[in-house]
Amino acid sequence: MARTRLITAVNEALVAEMERDPTLIVFGEDVELAIMGDTRGLVERFGRDRIRNSPICEQTLTGMAVGLASAGFRVVLHLMFNNFIYTGMDAIGNQMAKLRLMTGGQMELPITVIAGYGGGNGNAAQHSDTAYPALMNLGGIQVAVPTSSADAKGLFTTAVRGRTPTFFLEPAGRGGDMGEVPDGEHLVPFGKANVLRTGTDVTLVAIGTMVRPTLTAATALAGEGVSAEVIDPRTLVPFDEDTVLASVARTGRLVVVDEARDRCSAASQIAAVVADRGFATLRAPVRRVTVPDVALPYARNAEAVLIPGPERIAAAVRSVMERQLA
Amino acid sequence: MATPDTDVRGHVTVTDVDLYTRMLLIRRAEERLIVACADGSLPGGVHLYIGEEAVAVGACAVMTDRDYVTSTHRGHGHFLAKGGDIDAMFAEIWGKATGICKGMGGSMHVADVSKGILGANGIVGAGFAIATGAAWGAKLAGEGRVATCFFGDGAANQGSFSESMNVSAAWELPTIFVCENNGVSEFTVTSTVTGGTLVDRARAFMPATVVDGNDVHAVRDAVGAAVERARAGGGPSYVEATTFRIRGHLEAEQHMLGGGTYRSEDDVTAWQADDKDPLPRLAARLLADGTCERAALDRIDAEVRARVEAAVAYAEASPPADPDLAPQIMFGPTA
């Protein structure tokens, strides 16, 4: 057990997997200097045949990942910020997400794309999106959203060893929280949510960067006599519907916290699943706590009011505690 | 069909009769698809390669199954030229379970990964980056493979054309860019939407040449030189083959054109003349140099037609695609 930042846990997992599998290749913009931290030290250790700075040309980088994987390699493509998926979208939406199906299963594409997401860093709207809702709707793309250092190591290892294109989304800018990381091999299965706090009155599903403010809100609510269960889904595709539905069956209430914009957010999908499969267990309307349907502005104060924090989350919970379905 | 032999350098040696037979197989297969499309046998549209056969056949004659190719939405010719099976291709186009992609891809997406055919592709220009990535893999593997990207003049206006040539040149990758310049970008004459010339764009990055794309020997020799250079570590090349698309962008396009036209019928007729069409041109050469007599060519044609009809029969007799398959193969297994 060592205590590290999330980004360092990814770095350690990447080193271990590159040691384990000589066909694992890492490329992307500025990966040699490791601007995001997760590829630090790799070029010195593995050389430029294994990790390589690319030109700035996302539509070609994403397509190259498909070609390199087709040629028998495991691929880690670093896209830096998840806003850059928009420039690389053809090979994401039309190739990575589709070719396994379109070739009748012939084409295995073991590709892991790393990208930072989310606001709160004064990066303005072109570097602050939470873009996983777009990825969730493409087809054959898995989406992992680690929140702890241990899960980052475990989910990353699972992503790299898999045979399906996977987006591994890191909280941008801050390097993630500090946390304990298991030594040695550590895999976290996809589609298995983590119940971070048990409770009886309300289920809070918190995605990625929203886990910390949600736990803060849950602690505050406990002081008011509200017992909140907090669930971290860890992966959005596949998504652990059963754990969420079982929790809502006990609590009767659901609040989903998501840094994506409200419209077609991951929270919207989760709310729809519970409305569909868990309607009879609900005792109050489902609430989504999300970013309003605007782009995140640059100024700190203007940005901060839009990103869900403990106060907004707690207020949403209080509103569902007051409301009771007949 | 003759199977190409591989010589000590890993190149394929193909006789002129093989070249002719392969080109004719593509021609007769697609002529049969015109009929099948018109009589409603096919679930979707087809984009035909008729008139351009010498490009795929000439280029693939210098590659082996271990080399990679990326193809276009007009990909039947590349698939057959690279050694893809016509039964599996027709079954795919007919939407059957025995199709090369189990009926999940169709005409625009025929692929056979075991033969290095990384797929026809419905996105114009998608092959540039995929071929470049495969070429990078080929270089890393160090086994002398190359990756050839077939694309049209229309695709050359995608930004990934220059992006992929840039990466291929900067990293000295064994990528061969084979431009099938047929003068039209779907329903638009390419010259009306293109600045400069395509070969000049390529010359900024790599050795680039323009050849008569309806002369199968000219294509084979130019691509052969590029492949040889790439296998020896000399990096990427660009070969532009001037050719002509005899059919429309897709079959049954007249329903979409609303009576309008986008090119001259006189041009279409001119490119079908015996001195332009790649098949009569090669046939004349085979007759003139004594390789074949007319009767031998007729016999080849009869065999090819029979092979195509057998493929139609196979496709028609095959079971339909499995409607439950898509959710089973959308995702691969996790670790």
Side-chain angles (χ1 to χ4, degrees):
Chain A
M1 273 298 180
R3 200 171 158 74
T4 70
R5 284 208 176 278
L6 183 149
I7 210 82
T8 309
V10 177
N11 179 257
E12 289 171 6
L14 192 47
V15 168
E17 291 309 297
M18 289 181 80
E19 292 281 7
R20 181 177 178 271
D21 184 352
T23 72
L24 175 56
I25 305 294
V26 182
F27 75 113
E29 294 156 12
D30 303 322
V31 289
E32 291 177 23
L33 264 178
I35 299 307
M36 307 297 275
D38 43 20
T39 56
R40 192 143 296 156
L42 295 185
V43 72
E44 295 81 357
R45 189 157 178 166
F46 297 102
R48 284 199 173 77
D49 275 356
R50 300 283 308 279
I51 169 162
R52 187 153 200 175
N53 280 350
S54 72
I56 302 168
C57 52
E58 288 84 3
Q59 71 162 320
T60 288
L61 303 184
T62 50
M64 283 176 66
V66 172
L68 186 57
S70 302
F73 289 84
R74 284 191 187 275
V75 181
V76 172
L77 168 62
H78 206 306
L79 273 186
M80 211 181 281
F81 288 95
N82 76 174
N83 284 72
F84 304 162
I85 70 170
Y86 307 139
T87 41
M89 203 56 165
D90 172 57
I92 297 170
N94 286 318
Q95 314 300 333
M96 282 183 208
K98 306 293 193 298
L99 287 182
R100 190 169 204 282
L101 174 85
M102 297 188 84
T103 60
Q106 290 180 68
M107 208 173 265
E108 296 279 6
L109 295 174
I111 300 168
T112 303
V113 183
I114 303 177
Y117 75 99
N121 305 296
N123 283 336
Q126 291 169 349
H127 293 72
S128 301
D129 265 0
T130 293
Y132 45 69
L135 297 166
M136 290 166 66
N137 195 244
L138 294 174
I141 299 273
Q142 298 183 138
V143 180
V145 194
T147 58
S148 71
S149 300
D151 282 353
K153 177 176 178 177
L155 292 168
F156 186 80
T157 306
T158 303
V160 166
R161 292 191 191 176
R163 282 140 70 182
T164 298
T166 300
F167 277 69
F168 181 87
L169 300 176
E170 301 168 341
R174 299 179 294 267
D177 291 341
M178 295 288 287
E180 299 289 332
V181 180
D183 297 326
E185 186 171 272
H186 175 57
L187 284 92
V188 171
F190 277 26
K192 189 85 193 75
N194 192 17
V195 180
L196 294 170
R197 178 186 175 114
T198 56
T200 54
D201 295 330
V202 59
T203 300
L204 305 184
V205 175
I207 301 165
T209 50
M210 293 294 98
V211 164
R212 188 161 55 163
T214 301
L215 288 170
T216 304
T219 302
L221 289 161
E224 302 169 21
V226 176
S227 169
E229 182 146 303
V230 178
I231 298 175
D232 171 5
R234 301 198 284 200
T235 60
L236 295 169
V237 181
F239 180 78
D240 185 355
E241 296 185 0
D242 292 344
T243 294
V244 173
L245 287 163
S247 174
V248 174
R250 282 185 281 103
T251 64
R253 297 178 180 87
L254 175 66
V255 174
V256 193
V257 192
D258 181 357
E259 199 183 327
R261 272 180 286 281
D262 195 62
R263 188 183 297 122
C264 298
S265 57
S268 301
Q269 167 66 13
I270 295 165
V273 166
V274 172
D276 189 355
R277 292 185 59 198
F279 184 75
T281 67
L282 285 168
R283 297 161 62 194
V286 176
R287 281 276 140 78
R288 291 168 295 161
V289 184
T290 52
V291 166
D293 291 322
V294 297
L296 289 178
Y298 164 71
R300 274 295 153 85
N301 61 332
E303 183 183 33
V305 296
L306 297 172
I307 299 173
E311 284 307 315
R312 268 179 65 198
I313 298 164
V317 171
R318 289 186 201 106
S319 78
V320 299
M321 295 310 297
E322 289 159 9
R323 289 285 301 277
Q324 195 87 353
L325 290 178
Chain B
M1 292 306 103
T3 305
D5 298 317
T6 305
D7 73 15
V8 288
R9 294 166 303 161
H11 293 184
V12 175
T13 52
V14 182
T15 67
D16 282 353
V17 172
D18 291 336
L19 295 173
Y20 182 76
T21 307
R22 278 163 187 261
M23 286 165 58
L24 193 62
L25 178 68
I26 298 167
R27 175 69 56 92
R28 297 293 181 240
E30 292 208 319
E31 286 172 347
R32 187 62 181 78
L33 290 175
I34 295 173
V35 176
C37 184
D39 71 18
S41 298
L42 309 181
V46 288
H47 304 72
L48 300 185
Y49 194 62
I50 290 173
E52 308 184 25
E53 297 91 342
V55 186
V57 171
C60 291
V62 293
M63 290 176 235
T64 78
D65 283 355
R66 302 180 71 250
D67 294 314
Y68 303 107
V69 298
T70 61
S71 172
T72 69
H73 56 286
R74 201 173 303 289
H76 307 149
H78 309 124
F79 182 88
L80 293 174
K82 188 70 169 43
D85 177 56
I86 189 173
D87 287 341
M89 184 179 92
F90 268 25
E92 183 64 29
I93 296 170
W94 262 255
K96 297 302 183 75
T98 54
I100 187 68
C101 302
K102 301 187 168 79
M104 300 291 112
S107 159
M108 256 198 294
H109 305 284
V110 287
D112 185 346
V113 174
S114 73
K115 291 190 162 59
I117 306 166
L118 301 183
N121 206 300
I123 304 300
V124 172
F128 294 126
I130 296 173
T132 299
W136 187 21
K139 178 167 178 157
L140 290 171
E143 294 167 353
R145 301 183 194 200
V146 302
T148 296
C149 175
F150 291 104
F151 64 100
D153 42 306
N157 285 325
Q158 290 276 18
S160 57
F161 177 44
S162 59
E163 292 181 6
S164 292
M165 286 196 294
N166 175 58
V167 178
S168 293
W171 295 1
E172 298 178 313
L173 303 182
T175 327
I176 321 289
F177 295 90
V178 175
C179 177
E180 302 174 324
N181 190 343
N182 63 23
V184 275
S185 304
E186 300 185 5
F187 305 105
T188 297
V189 174
T190 302
S191 62
T192 66
V193 293
T194 302
T197 68
L198 304 184
V199 69
D200 283 341
R201 295 180 191 176
R203 279 199 188 105
F205 298 98
M206 61 188 68
T209 184
V210 179
V211 298
D212 178 348
N214 283 12
D215 177 346
V216 69
H217 292 141
V219 174
R220 180 195 60 193
D221 293 348
V223 176
V227 166
E228 200 157 338
R229 185 161 52 241
R231 289 199 205 284
S237 301
Y238 171 94
V239 176
E240 181 174 323
T242 307
T243 185
F244 194 84
R245 191 188 79 200
I246 299 299
R247 304 293 296 178
H249 169 57
L250 76 167
E251 285 305 292
E253 72 178 23
Q254 53 275 24
H255 300 302
M256 303 165 74
L257 296 175
T261 57
Y262 56 94
R263 61 179 184 175
S264 143
E265 280 307 312
D266 290 346
D267 283 349
V268 178
T269 305
W271 279 85
Q272 290 179 287
D274 281 356
D275 63 342
K276 298 289 270 184
D277 185 320
L279 274 156
R281 283 177 65 180
L282 182 55
R285 210 173 301 174
L286 292 171
L287 293 169
D289 68 14
T291 305
C292 284
E293 295 182 352
R294 174 56 67 185
L297 294 181
D298 290 345
R299 197 163 53 244
I300 290 171
D301 195 19
E303 287 170 8
V304 165
R305 286 176 189 276
R307 184 69 192 84
V308 169
E309 286 310 315
V312 172
Y314 176 80
E316 287 179 343
S318 288
D322 176 0
D324 299 324
L325 183 63
Q328 294 168 29
I329 63 170
M330 186 80 249
F331 292 92
T334 51

